Amino acid sequence: MTKKNLTYPLLIIGSFLTAISVNTFAVPNHLGEGGVPGVTMILYYLFSLPTSVTSLLLNGALIILGLKLLPKPTIFKTILVVILNSIFLHLLAPYPFVFENPILAPLVAGFFMGAGIGLVYQGEGTTAGGTIVAAMIEAKTGLPKSSGVLLTDLMVIIPSGFVIGFEKMCLTIISVYLGAKVIAFISEGAKPKRTVVIISPKAPEISAALEKNIQRNGTFLTGTGSFSKAPQTLLYIVVESGEILPLKKTVHEIDDKAFMVVSEAQNVLGTRFSN
């Protein structure tokens, strides 16, 4: 089965898992959440408004506001996810699960929320909510989407403490943190990747040593120093996060003045990088 054929199963399963997180685990244990799900929970706690209804209304409004910010192929999938999620929230409302051990609630809720959002992303959709708000913030201020999502989550989680209490707010932060880790796991796999740019006159020697020590090869790039105007050789390489320390050690042994930049890799595709 190709990834294209899996698109809609991923969106359906992802929508179902996020609904389980909210109505089966988070709400019955009086937890909160970031973004739109968090707002729907607050409205439920304060006014007993069904999360299925408020989720549909809030996300629907955000989709209308963010139509110009979402890629056209993503719009339909996002609308589908919002509708499916609201249906699942309604169907799951009669099936709450209350944990005797309070620490288990945020762990399970966070896992299901992260898994659900991760699968939706794999299906090339979005859950609307914070994704659209973050896109709007980026368009207005230039703040990266990842920071925008964190900002919108905090804007909901912190005020929720006045409704669910400080202890539950702290548990909610644990839940959201775990959810983010699960999303990253589904997106990046068990071994997150890092991109490294190394600028050194000894770049060829460094490349040969890295091939020998950590079995990674890279690509040579050429550039010109903005101050010195001298030609520069750059080595661009992708490694696993656990290989960063041996990479740094290898580089410093050859050129302790080498300039390095390490960045997170959102996705590594193709056959040239093998685990």
Side-chain angles (χ1 to χ4, degrees), residues 70 153 173 214 225:
L70 288 174
D153 282 347
I173 292 173
I214 62 174

Side-chain angles (χ1 to χ4, degrees), residues 34-229:
V36 168
V39 176
T40 66
M41 293 180 199
I42 292 173
L43 293 174
Y44 175 79
Y45 297 141
L46 292 176
F47 309 110
S48 298
L49 297 176
T51 55
S52 57
V53 175
T54 52
S55 177
L56 183 63
L57 293 176
L58 291 173
N59 280 316
L62 286 172
I63 290 174
I64 293 172
L65 291 173
L67 279 177
K68 294 182 179 180
L69 300 173
L70 288 174
K72 289 184 179 179
T74 305
I75 293 173
F76 173 74
K77 294 174 185 175
T78 298
I79 293 173
L80 176 63
V81 168
V82 168
I83 294 173
L84 286 172
N85 184 250
S86 296
I87 292 172
F88 289 138
L89 284 169
H90 175 72
L91 295 176
L92 291 168
Y95 303 100
F97 188 93
V98 179
F99 289 92
E100 292 184 10
N101 186 339
I103 194 61
L104 291 177
L107 298 180
V108 176
F111 173 81
F112 275 88
M113 180 62 74
I117 294 175
L119 291 179
V120 167
Y121 286 168
Q122 286 291 315
E124 299 179 351
T126 77
T127 54
T131 303
I132 295 178
V133 174
M136 289 196 268
I137 292 174
E138 182 182 44
K140 294 291 184 181
T141 67
L143 191 71
K145 286 189 181 71
S146 57
S147 300
V149 170
L150 176 61
L151 180 62
T152 55
D153 282 347
L154 292 176
M155 288 172 62
V156 175
I157 294 172
I158 294 175
S160 73
F162 294 100
V163 178
I164 61 178
F166 180 76
E167 181 178 326
K168 295 291 186 180
M169 184 192 76
C170 292
L171 292 175
T172 295
I173 292 173
I174 294 174
S175 176
V176 171
Y177 178 79
L178 176 62
K181 291 297 182 181
V182 174
I183 293 172
F185 177 84
I186 293 175
S187 300
E188 303 177 13
K191 299 177 180 179
K193 311 300 186 294
R194 300 290 183 265
T195 60
V196 184
V197 177
I198 304 167
I199 303 175
S200 168
K202 299 181 179 179
E205 294 96 314
I206 292 173
S207 177
L210 292 176
E211 287 186 33
K212 179 181 178 181
N213 294 344
I214 62 174
Q215 291 75 54
R216 297 292 182 197
N217 51 42
T219 300
F220 290 117
L221 305 173
T222 57
T224 303
S226 61
F227 178 75
S228 66
K229 309 302 180 186

